[in-house]
Amino acid sequence: MHVVVAGALVDNDAVLLAHRRPTKRAYPDVWDLPGGLVEAGESELQALAREMHEELGVHIVAESASRLGVLLTDSGGVSLHVGVWQVGEWIGSPTNRAPDEHDAIAWFAVSELGALHLPHGVLAAMVRSLPEFEWARGHSGDADCDRGGKADCRGCAGMIYRFQRGA
């Protein structure tokens, strides 16, 4: 199982997403929260701070970070444990410092997430659960999906999700 962290930087009712290059082996050509693998000996929060600095050039204020939950996925025989964090404060202006990973970064209103190709069908719902955003049912992926598991939803196709709030 791979242990990964992802960070939701929220500013002015928008969340920062990174667009993964179409040439990436895992989750190509999708908008995603920035983050990456937890290295040996690191806590999730340490990995989050390192990844936000490496990918975006920002230093997170650790006291402002809170864990939203865990996304457990199994796709193509690869299991992921994704710790999803909200980052309330950071120092610096986010820029794309990992052009080999991402071809763009951009701020999106939560209402725009449904129109984006996201790697995980529940990602928009997780972002909506942030205090800054009004909760809406479902994940605003394809209309026929009710938060995972249906093959006709491009965000959920082939994925098995277990979202553990605050885990």
Side-chain angles (χ1 to χ4, degrees), residues 134-146:
E134 180 181 334
W135 175 255
R137 297 210 179 261
H139 70 72
S140 57
D142 296 321
D144 294 330
C145 183
D146 76 1

Side-chain angles (χ1 to χ4, degrees), residues 2-160:
H2 297 282
V3 179
V4 176
V5 291
L9 277 66
V10 178
D11 189 32
N12 293 322
D13 296 325
V15 64
L16 183 71
L17 298 179
H19 186 263
R20 292 181 58 85
R21 288 196 163 281
T23 56
K24 295 299 290 180
R25 186 177 62 92
Y27 302 107
D29 200 24
V30 297
W31 286 97
D32 198 4
L33 294 172
L37 288 171
V38 176
E39 294 179 356
E42 279 185 320
S43 69
E44 281 192 15
L45 187 54
Q46 290 169 328
L48 182 68
R50 178 183 50 76
E51 289 287 346
M52 295 299 103
H53 181 66
E54 288 175 2
E55 293 189 10
L56 302 174
V58 298
H59 295 279
I60 67 169
V61 176
E63 297 79 27
S64 79
S66 59
R67 195 177 201 210
L68 289 173
V70 175
L71 174 63
L72 302 172
T73 71
D74 185 0
S75 175
V78 176
S79 296
L80 290 177
H81 167 116
V82 184
V84 180
W85 291 74
Q86 175 186 7
V87 180
E89 297 178 43
W90 58 90
I91 299 165
S93 181
T95 58
N96 185 7
R97 290 189 50 192
D100 55 321
E101 299 266 332
H102 311 114
D103 54 14
I105 62 171
W107 293 96
F108 292 95
V110 72
S111 61
E112 297 175 295
L113 296 179
L116 300 175
H117 188 193
L118 303 171
H120 307 292
V122 297
L123 183 60
M126 292 174 80
V127 171
R128 277 197 187 92
S129 73
L130 293 168
E132 290 83 357
F133 301 116
E134 180 181 334
W135 175 255
R137 297 210 179 261
H139 70 72
S140 57
D142 296 321
D144 294 330
C145 183
D146 76 1
R147 296 183 65 193
K150 292 190 179 177
D152 55 349
C153 172
R154 72 175 180 210
C156 296
M159 302 298 288
I160 300 168

